[in-house]
Amino acid sequence: MAKTSPAEFINQVRTEARKIVWPTGRETVQTTIMVLIMTTILSLFFLGVDTVFNAIVSWLTSLAR
C-alpha cells in the first residue's frame, strides 16, 4: 500500500468534503421528530415488558415463601 504525503491527504479530504450533502432544516426537523416518536414508543414498550417480567418474578418469588 502506497504511503500518502500529508499534502495529498489534505487534498483528498477536501475533495471528499466537497461531496457532502447536508440535510435541509426541514429534513433535520422531520428526522428529529421521528427519533423522538420512536424513542417514546420503544420506552413505553420496554416499560410494559419490564412490568410484566416484574410481575412474573414477584409471583414466582411469592410461591417460594
Side-chain angles (χ1 to χ4, degrees):
M1 185 173 186
K3 298 232 178 190
T4 305
S5 70
E8 181 62 28
F9 174 76
I10 290 172
N11 285 335
Q12 290 175 359
V13 169
R14 285 184 182 158
T15 302
E16 290 299 319
R18 286 187 197 111
K19 296 177 184 178
I20 296 172
V21 178
W22 294 100
T24 64
R26 179 183 165 102
E27 290 172 336
T28 303
V29 169
Q30 286 177 340
T31 305
T32 301
I33 291 170
M34 287 305 299
V35 167
L36 292 174
I37 290 171
M38 290 305 296
T39 303
T40 302
I41 290 170
L42 284 172
S43 66
L44 292 173
F45 170 75
F46 285 118
L47 174 66
V49 169
D50 184 54
T51 302
V52 169
F53 283 151
N54 186 28
I56 292 169
V57 170
S58 295
W59 176 71
L60 288 173
T61 55
S62 71
L63 294 176
R65 291 183 195 166

